[in-house]
Amino acid sequence: MNEDTATRARRILRAQRIETPSWAYGNSGTRFKVFAQAGIPRTPYEKIDDAAKVHELTGVAPSIALHIPWDRVDDFGALARYAADRGIALGAINPNVFQEDDYRLGSVCNPDPAVRRKAVDHLLECVEIGRATGSRVLSVWLADGTNYAGQDDIRARQDRMGEALREVYDRMPESMRLLLEYKFFEPHFYTMDVPDWGTSFAQCLRLGERAQVLVDTGHHAPGTNIEFLVTILLREGRLGGFHFNSRNYADDDLLVGAADPFQLFRILHEIEGAGALEPDSGVEFMLDQCHNLEPKVPAMIRSIMNVQEATAKALLVDRARLGQAQVSGDVLGAHAVLMDAFSTDVRPLLADVRRDAGLDPDPLAAYHRGGYQQRIEEERAGGAAMGWGA
Ligand code: PSV
Ligand code: MN
């Protein structure tokens, strides 16, 4: 017998996994100002404590992504054990080849072979860190690009990137995937070397099956139909995962689902259509946000709830009715089926799913009641708060 919609929705919602980013627990800001907050982690270990608290309350955030060197420690095996003791795992390893003077003209695309070597060596080091932490994802974002027409040879830069990524890919253990993230502009303004999913896809195709595209929802030009490109990547088996966040203008890194919950629902609807909400689909749900004004841990909880709500709505779409309306050319009827699901208040369903899992039905209220925020504000009073670039 087929699993009915409600049973399936509960199962998938319970099994969903959303990875939180270590850097979102640190201080962050814009290029104008980083506002310091109280209770900010001073070490990668304290970031893990915060991520573990988020998982404890939501039940669906069992891993934390690391950014190297921001989260560099002497012993990554020990860091992984520390995380495991707190009920979470170390997730994607994010190399950083964008914050050193050497990278002014790029990292793996740099015209200088010595800089390219340095960048590749860092990526290889991250592969080894991933081996030590048991991470299965290497998330590569390259800030490479040019500012002026003629500044460098566009094609040669693609060739240099291909060569560098080949070396990295060949070093990865079988269990690891390389997810190549794209971004349409910034920090460069004439060309970015991986500006869009097509470029990432082309590089991934040359590398092999364990190279896939990473879609950061904030990295598109206004008006881009993200669910369309997500569908194409799913169809080709090359959607590695997401960096979820919201944008109003550019790479705003706001709470996922805050600016446009309907877009998030549409994306999740396509993921569900491809069967990729199943736990073993290989599509990674990761958050990549900066909480510049709002407190970090509750912001993360809120973001996870936003993803859960969009997921629940996508799971409630009456696909049989939708299919009938589509094949009979009933444009408004088909659209109405989607809107019915989107308009459903799924908060009671999610509260129920949490209760079934032994969690508080309202994780945010539980956080505010629990006293964790006061405790970290007191305990982390001394020392240097971690932050963007720290
Ligand atoms: C770049 O804007 C990005 O989205 C990449 O994922 C980075 O690793 C991350 O932000 C953190 O700066
Ligand atoms: Mn990102």
Side-chain angles (χ1 to χ4, degrees):
M1 200 182 82
N2 277 347
E3 197 181 18
D4 66 56
T5 306
T7 313
R8 180 150 187 287
R10 282 167 184 272
R11 176 176 64 77
I12 300 276
L13 289 168
R14 185 61 203 112
Q16 192 169 35
R17 297 285 170 257
I18 302 163
E19 182 161 300
T20 70
S22 70
W23 51 100
Y25 297 105
N27 278 326
S28 63
T30 65
R31 63 201 168 95
F32 300 105
K33 170 71 181 160
V34 171
F35 295 109
Q37 293 190 16
I40 295 301
R42 295 153 305 171
T43 64
Y45 288 89
E46 289 181 346
K47 290 178 176 176
I48 287 175
D49 292 340
D50 289 357
K53 175 54 72 178
V54 172
H55 180 49
E56 178 195 317
L57 294 169
T58 60
V60 295
S63 61
I64 176 171
L66 300 184
H67 218 298
I68 310 296
W70 301 341
D71 299 314
R72 193 187 288 289
V73 291
D74 290 339
D75 184 346
F76 281 99
L79 191 70
R81 286 191 294 281
Y82 182 87
D85 286 345
R86 281 147 191 82
I88 63 171
L90 303 182
I93 303 295
N94 291 248
N96 181 324
V97 281
F98 50 85
Q99 276 190 312
E100 289 180 55
D101 285 338
D102 279 346
Y103 298 136
R104 194 170 58 95
L105 299 179
S107 62
V108 297
C109 303
N110 197 297
D112 180 347
V115 177
R116 296 206 293 278
R117 189 65 252 157
K118 172 178 167 164
V120 172
D121 284 345
H122 175 66
L123 296 173
L124 294 175
E125 183 201 358
C126 287
V127 170
E128 296 313 319
I129 291 172
R131 225 188 273 271
T133 55
S135 301
R136 290 180 326 220
V137 168
L138 184 74
S139 285
V140 177
W141 175 63
L142 301 170
D144 293 43
T146 63
N147 271 352
Y148 296 99
Q151 180 189 319
D152 198 2
D153 185 307
I154 293 172
R155 183 175 173 142
R157 291 179 73 90
Q158 289 296 313
D159 293 343
R160 294 171 200 148
M161 186 194 325
E163 210 176 290
L165 294 180
R166 162 62 52 210
E167 192 176 338
V168 175
Y169 185 87
D170 287 348
R171 178 74 74 83
M172 295 192 315
E174 279 293 315
S175 55
M176 196 177 276
R177 282 179 294 152
L178 187 157
L179 306 193
L180 184 59
E181 181 173 355
Y182 57 90
K183 181 172 178 179
F184 79 118
F185 86 105
E186 200 193 29
H188 293 282
F189 302 102
Y190 172 61
T191 56
M192 287 294 282
D193 290 303
V194 192
D196 52 28
W197 70 275
T199 311
S200 173
F201 183 59
Q203 287 284 348
C204 288
L205 279 184
R206 286 182 183 226
L207 289 173
E209 279 185 356
R210 285 180 295 114
Q212 295 177 310
V213 178
L214 174 61
V215 176
D216 183 313
T217 45
H219 290 185
H220 304 90
T224 301
N225 185 329
I226 299 177
E227 62 270 28
F228 181 84
L229 64 92
V230 162
T231 306
I232 304 301
L233 289 172
L234 281 165
R235 186 166 183 270
E236 300 300 327
R238 293 290 176 150
L239 180 67
F242 290 92
H243 271 180
F244 279 134
N245 53 57
S246 280
R247 72 187 287 281
N248 290 302
Y249 299 103
D251 190 19
D252 306 352
D253 278 337
L254 301 174
L255 304 191
V256 57
D260 188 351
F262 185 45
Q263 179 188 62
L264 184 60
F265 161 77
R266 297 191 313 262
I267 292 171
L268 283 153
H269 169 65
E270 293 304 331
I271 299 172
E272 163 63 354
L277 280 179
E278 290 293 341
D280 58 356
S281 75
V283 175
E284 307 290 332
F285 286 5
M286 302 177 279
L287 301 178
D288 178 9
Q289 303 183 163
C290 289
H291 310 128
N292 301 342
L293 311 176
E294 62 278 25
K296 320 282 178 183
V297 179
M300 207 57 93
I301 296 172
R302 174 81 260 171
S303 305
I304 287 167
M305 293 168 74
N306 287 354
V307 175
Q308 288 183 299
E309 286 174 23
T311 306
K313 291 177 183 198
L315 286 163
L316 294 184
V317 171
D318 185 336
R319 289 187 172 263
R321 250 179 68 213
L322 181 64
Q324 281 157 14
Q326 288 175 342
V327 295
S328 60
D330 181 2
V331 175
L332 288 180
H335 182 60
V337 173
L338 271 200
M339 296 315 288
D340 280 349
F342 179 64
S343 306
T344 308
D345 183 358
V346 292
R347 290 172 300 181
L349 167 65
L350 281 161
D352 232 41
V353 169
R354 292 187 189 110
R355 255 185 236 108
D356 278 357
L359 299 166
D360 192 294
D362 184 345
L364 266 179
Y367 180 74
H368 293 307
R369 265 197 327 269
Y372 186 78
Q373 186 72 37
Q374 293 87 317
R375 186 149 68 74
I376 57 176
E377 289 186 15
E378 281 159 28
E379 286 178 5
R380 299 176 184 169
M386 297 203 80
W388 196 81

